[in-house]
Amino acid sequence: KAGVTQTPRYLIKTRGQQVTLSCSPISGHRSVSWYQQTPGQGLQFLFEYFSETQRNKGNFPGRFSGRQFSNSRSEMNVSTLELGDSALYLCASKETGQNIQYFGAGTRLSVL
Amino acid sequence: AQSVTQLGSHVSVSEGALVLLRCNYSSSVPPYLFWYVQYPNQGLQLLLKYTSAATLVKGINGFEAEFKKSETSFHLTKPSAHMRDAAEYFCAVSEGADGLTFGKGTHLIIQP
């Protein structure tokens, strides 16, 4: 099976813009989670989607949002970008009833 | 609330020496525990997981970890370090439906 695929791998945006990141989970996985990784804060949980519904949410402002489609593919959106949003954004998928999350290679976002 | 503490942001060992990366967790329920490895510019790869079946868990690449409930620890070890083991290692805990909570990570340096 193909692994978790994230696109694009790299993005450069300026403050105030918005950005959309995409994640295709492993075939058959219906749960998709998003994480933000920064040198200062480490890896932090953003949110999880299952069957097109947000199931859990981390402690991030409302500028961070996501959605999941019927084919389990997920997107996350960040509006009104700030310099502090520069990070590696990781997506992970898991099988229903299992606890192991499989990660993609990430999208590195740079906000200038 | 769950939390993870990784002692030592950087650990340096000689090639062929024992690797010991420390992880302590806090959880209100029996946890699921994981070790992930991250190579430069890549996502997270699962090394091993503890899900209450056995306290000594063997993973990939010769790594293993022992769950000690009395010490709330889940330290990662490898008998003999290789240069290819140089990477960032993350301990993580999950209490089930919530997302993973990660430690700050330990950068493993292998000296030739």
Side-chain angles (χ1 to χ4, degrees), chain A residues 4-76:
Chain A
V4 177
T5 304
Q6 292 188 243
T7 56
R9 289 294 312 277
Y10 301 92
L11 265 178
I12 300 175
K13 293 286 186 179
T14 56
R15 277 184 302 173
Q17 287 187 310
Q18 73 166 17
V19 67
T20 299
L21 313 182
S22 180
C23 172
S24 293
I26 293 172
S27 178
H29 289 194
R30 293 167 61 192
S31 167
V32 173
S33 296
W34 288 89
Y35 294 83
Q36 182 196 63
Q37 185 178 22
T38 60
Q41 298 299 317
L43 280 153
Q44 294 183 283
F45 171 69
L46 278 157
F47 30 64
E48 179 194 9
Y49 284 86
F50 179 80
S51 291
E52 303 179 64
T53 301
Q54 189 180 87
R55 188 156 69 171
N56 285 299
K57 190 177 191 306
N59 189 25
F60 278 82
R63 299 186 297 106
F64 292 81
S65 63
R67 60 178 175 168
Q68 187 180 33
F69 303 94
S70 58
N71 62 358
S72 295
R73 190 177 70 85
S74 177
E75 290 180 346
M76 69 163 280

Side-chain angles (χ1 to χ4, degrees), chain B residues 43-77:
Chain B
L44 301 177
Q45 180 183 7
L46 180 69
L47 276 177
L48 48 81
K49 66 183 188 296
Y50 167 76
T51 55
S52 79
T55 57
L56 184 61
V57 181
K58 293 189 183 299
I60 63 171
N61 301 340
F63 285 94
E64 62 182 37
E66 186 174 8
F67 173 70
K68 292 187 177 180
K69 184 178 178 181
S70 60
E71 299 176 8
T72 59
S73 69
F74 190 56
H75 302 331
L76 181 71
T77 61

Side-chain angles (χ1 to χ4, degrees), chain A residues 9-10 35 37 40-43 45 48 56 88 90 94 99-101 103-105 108, chain B residues 32 34 36 38 41-44 46 49 51 90 94 96-100 102-104:
Chain A
R9 289 294 312 277
Y10 301 92
Y35 294 83
Q37 185 178 22
Q41 298 299 317
L43 280 153
F45 171 69
E48 179 194 9
N56 285 299
L88 180 66
L90 293 165
K94 66 178 179 178
N99 289 88
I100 300 173
Q101 296 195 25
F103 284 80
R108 185 165 296 281
Chain B
Y32 297 102
F34 307 85
Y36 283 88
Q38 185 177 35
N41 297 316
Q42 294 188 29
L44 301 177
L46 180 69
K49 66 183 188 296
T51 55
F90 293 93
S94 169
D98 295 337
L100 290 168
F102 286 91
K104 293 291 188 184

